[in-house]
Amino acid sequence: MGAAEAIREERLWRRHADMAKLGGTPKGGVNRQALSAEDAAARNLLGSWAKARGFSISTDAIGNLFVRREGSDPNALPVMSGSHMDSQPTGGRFDGMYGVLAAFEALEALEDAGVKTKRPVVAVAWTNEEGSRFQPGAMGSAVFAGHNDLDQMLQVKDWKGVVLKDALAETLKAAPAPMREGKPGFPLDGYVEAHIEQGPRLENAATTIGVVTAIQGSRRYIVTTEGEEAHAGTTPRAARKDAFAAALRIAHAMYEATTDKDDMLRFTIGRVDVGPGSPNTVPGRTTFTIDMRHPDDAVLEAHEKKLKEIVAMKAAPCTAGIERVTAVPPTNFDPMVIDMVRAKTNALRLTNMDMPSGAGHDAMHIAHLCPTGMIFVPCERGISHNEIENATPQDLAAGARVLVEVLAELANR
Amino acid sequence: MGAAEAIREERLWRRHADMAKLGGTPKGGVNRQALSAEDAAARNLLGSWAKARGFSISTDAIGNLFVRREGSDPNALPVMSGSHMDSQPTGGRFDGMYGVLAAFEALEALEDAGVKTKRPVVAVAWTNEEGSRFQPGAMGSAVFAGHNDLDQMLQVKDWKGVVLKDALAETLKAAPAPMREGKPGFPLDGYVEAHIEQGPRLENAATTIGVVTAIQGSRRYIVTTEGEEAHAGTTPRAARKDAFAAALRIAHAMYEATTDKDDMLRFTIGRVDVGPGSPNTVPGRTTFTIDMRHPDDAVLEAHEKKLKEIVAMKAAPCTAGIERVTAVPPTNFDPMVIDMVRAKTNALRLTNMDMPSGAGHDAMHIAHLCPTGMIFVPCERGISHNEIENATPQDLAAGARVLVEVLAELANR
């Protein structure tokens, strides 16, 4: 029996259902934010499954969780696959979790099929990919890759003022695992991450597998407008400095300036805070976030210029500023891994298409360490970061079959 | 010595400074929300001043605080003057407090000048005029006038879930005063409220006294847009149902539809909530408040129709709704009181102009009980509901002189 045949669709689906109970919401989604009690519960559940199969587990100083199936060559570098188990505040059951469970299913399939590999195969659950409780996101993989400083990250606070270091200690106390010595990060021979597309392209093309060629670049900004609080009943329009009206003019112009013909640019205002927030007081201050993404960094650069011009032009009579918070350039995956994913998909007779990833993923950090690629499967109507996020057992299993074939080949190079 | 000559500018100014320490903010304003510890402290301070002058104090079941100077005729109905001592979260030192301290200064001036009146003269501090912690505002005067039901109001909760009844009990425990029996409200022969204009008209016209003829009508609405949460990086514009983008289209059209040539219509979006509020999630829900005011109810009616049309027109691909929360018709004050205020102002050789009030005031409820009027004084640049709200000792004293003359005449009718 080959590894792909040993993938068990119902086992993989049941594991998703079991994980969805941890932080499950009435609408059928999950609220399993990074380093929460629900996160700890998910770590314990994965650990118990690993133990049952005789796989070893370990964690590192940022809380990344590793499940390891040994290879035959004690000196060979491991190949790794995985994603994250934390979710958005109103997240779905497949975002991240699928990549972790598909990797674990691959380990089980290799075991069930009696496939020996030269290299160890490691399933990983990266800490805090979502970045909704602690910023920045993709934190665990970024620290593993040396892109973020461990000590800085340990000092990050959530909006309640909880320090990440303390939340991590709580989590590892509730979900203990052997601690790896030293700073996070160890040499890898290859990395492949499976994930739901989180967009509608595969479903619209009636295609099962997305061969991911790259991750688009993304930039985040905070726009602030300052006006003057005034009485809503007495202050004539001409005498007002309405900070929300100014933010609205700016945002309105920005939506227009980012409306590209081919609909490739992603522009989102996701968080808006208006102060003081009293119905009968003219707002004195407004801040909002911008998330802008495109596969071509030059396009992002050009639009950043436009956004800055709009802020300068539309603020009066208020004052306004725009601050760039992060800028992640596009990531191009390894041609060898891309070709291998495409080849295995074709060998399994699965429909497939090459595509860039619209979302950021932990793979964008690991791609700097070793040959890296990703495998996408469709999700219903492309909806993600939403409690109604959905995918089919068949598609999830298909992606796992491609994954285990790729891992088996990488692990025997 | 006449009553007006007995008004002491520096005493009135010092009392404002003393009150401003209670809930004082770093920016020089006050945060003295209704039935807070700061509100209780203000009640105690006013009570101590009353006691020092031999005036009697009492409170009622909604916490309105009365300071009474007796008249010569035990059977005569009292005349009353006052306003409120609660503030916006980021409020100024004069909004409301001036009306209470001017009324108290009037009582002291009558005392100092040895003016006997037939009727009792009562200074009042109404409970919760601002309505920023507990809705609706002008609660104490509305209950006093029978426009709001006492038992309903006692059950109102603030945003933390604190029940008004409990907050009121706390406040009266910290600031005890003899309780009046029965439901709030008693017969009055007249009511005059002094207040800062909270707008720029008096200052722009270099005029000291506003003879207030009416209070403009006001209506409040909540607009809600419902879309679909989606991933900010992967979801093409064409596939989005962005609840904030829809709210922005609606708000933008509303600002345009309410831009009247004579700048008499007051349109304010003061509170905006965008959910789930994650920078990398397309918003699935947005709500915002509308505060709209005009002296002519027909104009409000016509614009309400426009707002409803805009909500229906601009929501797609999201859904949206608009709900009217309150509608207060314009209040016209009593011609006898208006003429008396104008006459006393002219007799004191103070510049004056007739004007409607842009803001709602407790007087709009009391106007249904007895002959009622208001006296406005300028505030710096018309700024109110703002920590930098300011007024001059001279203007405050001038308003108090007009007030005491009017009260003395009303109290001897």
Side-chain angles (χ1 to χ4, degrees):
Chain A
M1 179 170 71
E5 290 70 29
I7 293 291
R8 285 171 47 190
E9 178 180 312
E10 65 79 24
R11 175 172 61 187
L12 179 59
W13 183 253
R14 194 182 65 245
R15 295 215 190 283
H16 280 88
D18 293 341
M19 282 291 188
K21 292 173 192 149
L22 309 176
T25 62
K27 290 183 184 170
V30 291
N31 178 4
R32 194 191 306 117
Q33 295 186 64
L35 306 180
S36 64
E38 295 76 19
D39 185 354
R43 291 162 182 265
N44 276 327
L45 185 55
L46 182 64
S48 68
W49 292 335
K51 199 172 167 194
R53 295 307 302 250
F55 303 141
S56 63
I57 69 169
S58 64
T59 187
D60 63 17
I62 194 66
N64 297 318
L65 180 61
F66 306 97
V67 177
R68 179 183 175 104
R69 179 177 185 257
E70 294 304 334
S72 57
D73 178 352
N75 302 316
L77 296 181
V79 295
M80 184 149 61
S81 177
S83 190
H84 61 94
M85 302 199 294
D86 67 311
S87 82
Q88 291 278 321
T90 54
R93 344 169 121 202
F94 303 97
D95 176 3
M97 185 55 76
Y98 170 58
V100 174
L101 296 182
F104 187 76
E105 178 66 28
L107 262 59
E108 290 194 290
L110 291 170
E111 196 73 7
D112 295 340
V115 175
K116 299 243 173 302
T117 60
K118 171 183 147 201
R119 305 177 178 281
V121 183
V122 178
V124 61
W126 301 110
T127 295
N128 184 32
E129 192 272 348
E130 294 294 353
S132 41
R133 179 183 174 190
F134 295 103
Q135 281 83 37
M139 186 184 282
S141 51
V143 170
F144 185 93
H147 297 164
N148 284 347
D149 177 67
L150 172 65
D151 298 325
Q152 276 181 30
M153 294 302 110
L154 291 175
Q155 295 312 317
V156 170
K157 291 189 176 120
D158 70 8
W159 64 275
K160 283 182 184 163
V162 177
V163 181
L164 188 140
K165 186 178 185 175
D166 301 331
L168 176 59
E170 281 270 321
T171 302
L172 295 184
K173 195 172 150 212
M179 178 62 63
R180 303 179 65 93
E181 286 186 350
K183 288 228 167 194
F186 50 80
L188 294 171
D189 193 67
Y191 178 79
V192 184
E193 180 167 355
H195 208 286
I196 57 169
E197 179 197 346
Q198 305 185 283
R201 295 184 58 198
L202 286 172
E203 185 179 74
N204 293 346
T207 298
T208 304
I209 299 295
V211 179
V212 186
T213 55
I215 293 178
Q216 68 183 347
S218 74
R219 300 187 180 194
R220 288 214 191 156
Y221 308 86
I222 292 177
V223 175
T224 304
T225 63
E226 302 267 1
E228 191 164 65
E229 293 171 23
H231 191 293
T234 59
T235 317
R237 190 185 324 106
R240 294 187 180 204
K241 293 180 181 176
D242 184 330
F244 177 67
L248 183 123
R249 288 190 300 274
I250 289 168
H252 195 264
M254 284 178 168
Y255 279 116
E256 286 179 351
T258 53
T259 302
D260 56 334
K261 282 200 192 58
D262 57 3
D263 199 359
M264 284 291 285
L265 186 66
R266 307 276 173 263
F267 177 86
T268 305
I269 295 174
R271 178 171 186 142
V272 183
D273 296 295
V274 177
S278 174
N280 55 353
T281 300
V282 176
R285 189 166 201 280
T286 297
T287 65
F288 64 86
T289 61
I290 293 171
D291 179 308
M292 185 165 69
R293 314 195 199 193
H294 194 280
D296 178 354
D297 217 35
V299 174
L300 292 173
E301 189 60 30
H303 281 84
E304 180 174 302
K305 284 201 182 62
K306 287 190 193 176
L307 299 185
K308 288 176 174 170
E309 289 164 12
I310 288 167
V311 169
M313 265 167 36
K314 299 284 187 178
C318 298
T319 59
I322 178 168
E323 175 199 359
R324 189 168 82 182
V325 184
T326 59
V328 181
T331 304
N332 295 308
F333 288 131
D334 186 279
M336 178 272 289
V337 178
I338 295 169
D339 293 344
M340 196 184 294
V341 169
R342 194 186 303 104
K344 298 297 184 184
T345 305
N346 289 325
L348 288 164
R349 295 197 162 69
L350 296 166
T351 54
N352 64 84
M353 61 191 272
D354 287 14
M355 63 190 298
S357 171
H361 295 289
D362 294 299
M364 72 194 172
H365 292 296
I366 309 309
H368 295 263
L369 303 181
C370 64
T372 295
M374 287 188 75
I375 300 166
F376 276 174
V377 296
C379 60
E380 193 176 309
R381 295 171 51 218
I383 296 168
S384 186
H385 285 196
N386 187 315
E387 293 165 277
I388 65 169
E389 177 186 272
N390 198 17
T392 69
Q394 298 75 13
D395 289 340
L396 298 177
R401 289 187 188 100
V402 175
L403 177 63
V404 72
E405 289 294 327
V406 171
L407 289 175
E409 178 160 343
L410 287 175
N412 284 314
R413 282 201 308 165
Chain B
M1 178 170 70
E5 289 69 28
I7 293 291
R8 285 171 46 190
E9 178 179 313
E10 67 79 25
R11 175 172 61 186
L12 179 60
W13 183 252
R14 195 182 65 246
R15 295 216 189 282
H16 280 87
D18 293 340
M19 282 292 188
K21 291 173 192 150
L22 309 177
T25 62
K27 291 183 182 169
V30 290
N31 177 4
R32 193 191 306 117
Q33 294 185 63
L35 305 179
S36 63
E38 296 75 20
D39 184 355
R43 291 162 181 264
N44 276 328
L45 185 55
L46 182 64
S48 68
W49 291 336
K51 201 171 165 191
R53 294 308 303 252
F55 303 140
S56 62
I57 69 170
S58 64
T59 189
D60 64 15
I62 194 66
N64 297 318
L65 179 60
F66 306 97
V67 177
R68 179 182 173 105
R69 179 177 186 256
E70 294 303 335
S72 56
D73 177 352
N75 303 317
L77 295 181
V79 296
M80 184 147 68
S81 178
S83 191
H84 60 95
M85 302 199 293
D86 68 311
S87 83
Q88 290 279 320
T90 54
R93 344 169 121 202
F94 303 97
D95 176 2
M97 185 56 76
Y98 170 58
V100 174
L101 295 181
F104 187 76
E105 178 66 27
L107 262 61
E108 290 194 290
L110 291 170
E111 196 73 7
D112 293 341
V115 176
K116 297 248 175 300
T117 60
K118 169 183 148 200
R119 305 178 178 281
V121 182
V122 178
V124 60
W126 301 110
T127 294
N128 183 32
E129 192 273 347
E130 294 294 354
S132 41
R133 179 183 174 191
F134 294 103
Q135 281 82 35
M139 187 184 282
S141 51
V143 170
F144 185 92
H147 297 164
N148 285 347
D149 177 67
L150 173 64
D151 298 325
Q152 274 180 30
M153 294 303 109
L154 292 175
Q155 294 312 318
V156 170
K157 291 188 176 124
D158 70 7
W159 64 277
K160 283 181 184 165
V162 177
V163 180
L164 188 140
K165 186 177 185 178
D166 301 332
L168 176 58
E170 283 268 322
T171 302
L172 295 183
K173 194 173 152 210
M179 177 61 63
R180 303 180 64 92
E181 286 187 349
K183 288 226 166 198
F186 51 80
L188 294 171
D189 194 66
Y191 179 79
V192 185
E193 179 167 356
H195 209 286
I196 58 169
E197 179 197 346
Q198 305 186 281
R201 295 184 57 196
L202 287 172
E203 185 179 77
N204 292 346
T207 298
T208 304
I209 300 293
V211 179
V212 185
T213 55
I215 293 179
Q216 69 182 348
S218 74
R219 300 187 180 194
R220 287 213 192 154
Y221 308 85
I222 293 177
V223 176
T224 304
T225 62
E226 302 266 2
E228 190 163 67
E229 294 171 23
H231 192 293
T234 59
T235 317
R237 190 186 324 106
R240 293 187 180 204
K241 294 179 181 177
D242 184 330
F244 177 67
L248 183 122
R249 287 190 302 273
I250 289 167
H252 195 265
M254 285 178 168
Y255 279 116
E256 287 179 351
T258 53
T259 301
D260 55 334
K261 282 201 192 57
D262 56 2
D263 199 358
M264 284 291 284
L265 186 65
R266 307 278 173 260
F267 177 85
T268 305
I269 294 174
R271 177 172 186 143
V272 182
D273 296 295
V274 177
S278 174
N280 56 351
T281 300
V282 175
R285 189 169 202 275
T286 296
T287 65
F288 64 85
T289 60
I290 293 171
D291 179 306
M292 186 165 69
R293 314 195 199 195
H294 195 280
D296 179 353
D297 217 35
V299 174
L300 292 173
E301 188 62 29
H303 281 83
E304 180 173 301
K305 284 202 183 60
K306 286 189 193 178
L307 300 185
K308 288 176 174 170
E309 288 164 13
I310 288 167
V311 169
M313 266 167 35
K314 300 283 186 180
C318 297
T319 60
I322 177 168
E323 176 199 359
R324 189 167 83 181
V325 184
T326 59
V328 181
T331 304
N332 295 308
F333 288 131
D334 186 281
M336 178 271 288
V337 178
I338 295 170
D339 293 343
M340 196 184 292
V341 169
R342 194 187 302 105
K344 297 298 185 184
T345 306
N346 288 326
L348 288 163
R349 294 197 164 65
L350 295 166
T351 53
N352 62 84
M353 61 192 273
D354 287 13
M355 63 191 298
S357 170
H361 295 289
D362 294 300
M364 71 193 173
H365 292 297
I366 309 308
H368 296 262
L369 304 181
C370 65
T372 295
M374 288 189 73
I375 300 165
F376 275 173
V377 295
C379 59
E380 192 175 310
R381 295 171 50 219
I383 296 168
S384 184
H385 284 196
N386 186 316
E387 293 165 278
I388 65 170
E389 178 185 272
N390 198 16
T392 70
Q394 298 76 15
D395 289 340
L396 298 178
R401 290 188 185 97
V402 177
L403 177 64
V404 73
E405 289 293 327
V406 172
L407 289 174
E409 179 159 341
L410 287 174
N412 284 315
R413 281 203 308 167

